[in-house]
Amino acid sequence: MRKKNAVVFLGILFDRLYVLRDQLMHGGATFESVVNRKQVRSGCQILEQLVPAIIYVVMQHPNEKWGDAVFPPVPE
């Protein structure tokens, strides 16, 4: 972060958010548990700021090639 390398910083941030997501989805942080609550709150605060910013960037650049959908729709 001191070198202001945004790519490295965002890579670390997303890796840590993904670990937090795994804990929530796979039972490492369960309903009404006190384990990891501070991290869950911090992750939510980060995402509250980050998600609208990402949506804004995507909406401002509709012709940009963002890559294939990770989970493309299945034809009927």
Side-chain angles (χ1 to χ4, degrees):
M1 289 185 349
R2 291 177 193 207
K3 295 181 182 180
K4 300 184 183 195
N5 189 335
V7 173
V8 172
F9 173 77
L10 289 173
I12 293 168
L13 176 66
F14 287 128
D15 283 345
R16 291 181 183 179
L17 287 171
Y18 193 75
V19 169
L20 185 58
R21 175 250 178 228
D22 284 347
Q23 290 175 344
L24 292 169
M25 293 295 122
H26 300 292
T30 58
F31 180 68
E32 293 189 358
S33 170
V34 295
V35 176
N36 297 332
R37 289 303 144 199
K38 183 177 178 184
Q39 290 83 357
V40 171
R41 279 190 292 279
S42 296
C44 287
Q45 290 173 341
I46 291 167
L47 290 172
E48 284 176 345
Q49 299 297 313
L50 200 55
V51 170
I54 292 170
I55 292 171
Y56 177 80
V57 169
V58 171
M59 296 295 287
Q60 294 300 309
H61 300 89
N63 297 320
E64 184 71 32
K65 301 295 181 197
W66 296 104
D68 294 332
V70 178
F71 298 102
V74 178
E76 292 184 27

